[in-house]
Amino acid sequence: MSSTLSCSASDLIPLLSGGANATAAAAAAEFICGRFETISGKFTDASYAIDNTYLLFSAYLVFAMQLGFAMLCAGSVRAKNTMNIMLTNVIDAAAGGLFYYLFGFAFAFGSPSNGFIGKHFFAMSGFPKASFDYPYFLYQWTFAIAAAGITSGSIAERTQFVAYLIYSSFLTGLVYPIVSHWFWSSDGWASPARAENLLFQSGVIDFAGSGVVHMVGGIAGLWGALIEGPRIGRFENRGKPVTLRGHSATLVVLGTFLLWFGWYGFNPGSFAIINKSYGTSPGISFYGQWSAVGRTAVTTTLAGCTAALTTLFGKRLIDGYWNVTDVCNGLLGGFAAITGGCSVVEPWAAVICGFVAAWVLMGFNKLADKLRYDDPLEAAQLHGGCGAWGIIFTGLFADKTYVSEVFGGDPNRPYGLLMGGGWRLLAAHVVQIVVITGWVSVTMGTLFFVLHKLELLRIPSEDEIAGMDPTSHGGLAYMYTEEEIRNGIMVREMGRENENV
């Protein structure tokens, strides 16, 4: 008899017969094995169902962030541009869905071996399979449109609508998917999931996308805003910044809470599966991937909360008053920073992450004012700057045990420099910052420059002064009386040139 017992008749007959009727023992063995295989199969099916349901639920949460982006963007712009910014958020999701299906997913996770590139270019070819099922595509699509939504904030209030259509399709169909392939695909050159030849023996740990999502969206927005230039009236003749306040702090706060809620799908959901034990005794282990999912939600929460409070008191010292919009942006900056290392750091480290992220955001905002750079939502500073800090943070504070549990492989693989893991992980992360900055600058910077030269990027000055809603979208988003319009709502009366009421 084999030293390892398996459910086969040859193994069970000697145990069941005991010198009795061999035929009856064989029948009993076949019956037991059949029932065992049926039950085992049902457990396997249940495991797939649990993991895919978890991933679908996470995808729904991340998609809800689009509503958060829409509310945040709408509240951060002036009332005369509300319909425009809301429409761009809808288009980010719609155009992103089609182009990510046609091209993006294949670029992100395809290879000639799995048929996504070569045999088939459309993303759904070969679905479903054990490693790629439909929920995985849906989840990755929500990340792609999140990157596009970040960029739209940077170029708000002065961009032609056709430019939104072009850049959103290009970003979700090519630019973002290539980056996600490099750092997330199992055969990406800098992915920590590679079977061999890891970058600096570690790969890049960008778990939910401080670099892949936030830096990509932020740097794309940076180039768009730089090439377009600041909004009319944003800086005085001597360069002194003038605050062009958004029209609704209520929408800003509502959008922030919706984004906070969605981040629990963005970060914990990036595990993709939850039904996985880390223990050595199946059936009695209370520690598994579900524990890591919970820890990731905690680190996400603590980073955001710390960044919000740091911004609250920091801006009070700098400006002399309590500003709810700044606190909301600080909170989101903390989330953007912790996104990369949320699964591999201790909760106390997340507090450090959020504290530094707040100062990174405030520092970049001061620098933007000095350089006369105009970003209505601080998107480049928030997502680009805080995202880059999050990448560095992970290279400093990634915990050895968590890195081994989450990414497997060599139990001695490099981890955070300040945790005793050496410089290799940090070096890989510096490479990631340089590569993302270069790739997005070359692709999106060139695209925005070409659109500018073709006069497809910025709207005419008279339309910008009047507002994009009445000039491009058929009217204002809100109903105003004539008196309210005269007292501050700038609208160009059609047929009367260059008159600001």
Side-chain angles (χ1 to χ4, degrees):
M1 184 175 67
S2 173
S3 59
T4 302
L5 182 65
S6 61
C7 193
S8 65
S10 60
D11 287 334
L12 293 182
I13 288 174
L15 299 177
L16 295 172
S17 62
N21 189 306
T23 302
E30 291 291 346
F31 174 79
I32 293 173
C33 286
R35 295 301 298 268
F36 176 83
E37 290 171 358
T38 299
I39 294 172
S40 176
K42 288 186 178 296
F43 275 118
T44 300
D45 294 343
S47 181
Y48 278 119
I50 290 169
D51 288 336
N52 277 283
T53 300
Y54 171 71
L55 191 58
L56 272 175
F57 178 72
S58 299
Y60 302 152
L61 286 177
V62 180
F63 182 70
M65 295 177 78
Q66 291 300 120
L67 178 57
F69 277 127
M71 297 297 100
L72 181 69
C73 291
S76 298
V77 302
R78 289 163 290 180
K80 60 183 180 179
N81 297 312
T82 303
M83 290 180 68
N84 172 262
I85 198 68
M86 296 291 277
L87 180 58
T88 63
N89 278 271
V90 175
I91 292 303
D92 284 339
L98 183 60
F99 279 86
Y100 194 71
Y101 165 73
L102 293 176
F103 312 110
F105 191 80
F107 281 129
F109 298 100
S111 66
S113 62
N114 64 24
F116 291 150
I117 295 179
K119 296 180 182 177
H120 308 285
F121 206 67
F122 296 98
M124 294 292 98
S125 300
F127 270 49
K129 56 176 63 175
S131 57
F132 287 111
D133 206 344
Y134 292 102
Y136 191 79
F137 170 84
L138 190 73
Y139 187 69
Q140 294 301 331
W141 160 69
T142 61
F143 274 61
I145 61 176
I150 292 168
T151 304
S152 66
S154 295
I155 57 178
E157 298 202 287
R158 63 218 194 262
T159 305
Q160 293 189 47
F161 186 68
V162 66
Y164 282 110
L165 289 170
I166 295 171
Y167 99 77
S168 181
S169 302
F170 187 61
L171 183 65
T172 54
L174 176 67
V175 178
Y176 165 81
I178 293 295
V179 176
S180 61
H181 179 84
W182 288 342
F183 301 107
W184 285 348
S185 176
S186 59
D187 60 353
W189 63 268
S191 172
R194 287 180 64 92
E196 56 185 3
N197 299 323
L198 290 168
L199 180 65
F200 291 109
Q201 299 178 1
S202 68
V204 171
I205 297 178
D206 189 8
F207 186 71
S210 285
V212 173
V213 178
H214 294 284
M215 274 195 69
V216 168
I219 294 173
L222 172 68
W223 281 106
L226 280 175
I227 292 171
E228 280 191 306
R231 292 167 292 174
I232 295 174
R234 178 66 175 86
F235 296 97
E236 294 180 350
N237 292 334
R238 296 181 180 180
K240 182 179 179 181
V242 176
T243 301
L244 302 179
R245 293 190 180 278
H247 79 281
S248 176
T250 301
L251 289 178
V252 170
V253 173
L254 175 61
T256 299
F257 274 113
L258 285 169
L259 288 169
W260 188 340
F261 179 63
W263 235 292
Y264 291 126
F266 205 96
N267 287 5
S270 291
F271 280 95
I273 63 173
I274 193 172
N275 189 23
K276 176 183 176 182
S277 175
Y278 293 155
T280 57
S281 302
I284 62 173
S285 174
F286 61 88
Y287 182 60
Q289 195 117 295
W290 50 88
S291 305
V293 166
R295 183 183 66 247
T296 299
V298 169
T299 57
T300 300
T301 302
L302 291 176
C305 292
T306 304
L309 292 175
T310 304
T311 305
L312 174 70
F313 291 104
K315 294 294 287 186
R316 179 66 172 82
L317 291 173
I318 295 171
D319 297 332
Y321 57 90
W322 314 100
N323 190 308
V324 65
T325 304
D326 289 337
V327 170
C328 288
N329 284 340
L331 176 83
L332 299 177
F335 287 152
I338 194 62
T339 293
C342 54
S343 65
V344 294
V345 298
E346 291 280 5
W348 60 262
V351 174
I352 298 174
C353 178
F355 177 80
V356 176
W359 290 106
V360 168
L361 178 57
M362 288 186 280
F364 273 117
N365 283 336
K366 284 292 183 183
L367 179 62
D369 285 344
K370 288 185 178 295
L371 298 178
R372 301 188 67 179
Y373 169 77
D374 181 26
D375 186 325
L377 275 88
E378 303 175 7
Q381 302 95 296
L382 193 162
H383 297 278
C386 294
W389 155 241
I391 295 169
I392 297 297
F393 162 79
T394 307
L396 296 174
F397 289 95
D399 181 85
K400 178 180 180 180
T401 300
Y402 300 150
V403 169
S404 178
E405 288 174 349
V406 174
F407 295 99
D410 183 2
N412 296 314
R413 65 190 300 162
Y415 51 101
L417 175 63
L418 298 183
M419 306 299 287
W423 57 268
R424 294 182 182 275
L425 180 61
L426 181 61
H429 286 202
V430 172
V431 169
Q432 182 191 24
I433 293 174
V434 173
V435 168
I436 289 178
T437 302
W439 167 252
V440 179
S441 297
V442 169
T443 53
M444 295 301 296
T446 301
L447 176 65
F448 282 124
F449 181 75
V450 170
L451 291 173
H452 171 68
K453 287 299 183 180
L454 295 175
E455 298 183 352
L456 294 175
L457 186 57
R458 185 155 184 162
I459 60 175
S461 58
E462 60 269 23
D463 288 356
E464 183 178 344
I465 293 172
M468 298 184 69
D469 289 359
T471 59
S472 300
H473 302 287
L476 294 167
Y478 306 105
M479 295 297 294
Y480 293 102
T481 66
E482 291 185 6
E483 182 179 356
E484 287 174 325
I485 294 175
R486 292 192 182 95
N487 287 337
I489 304 300
M490 295 185 297
V491 178
R492 183 185 67 189
E493 294 186 16
M494 304 307 294
R496 299 171 60 183
E497 294 186 0
N498 300 324
E499 181 177 352
N500 300 325
V501 181

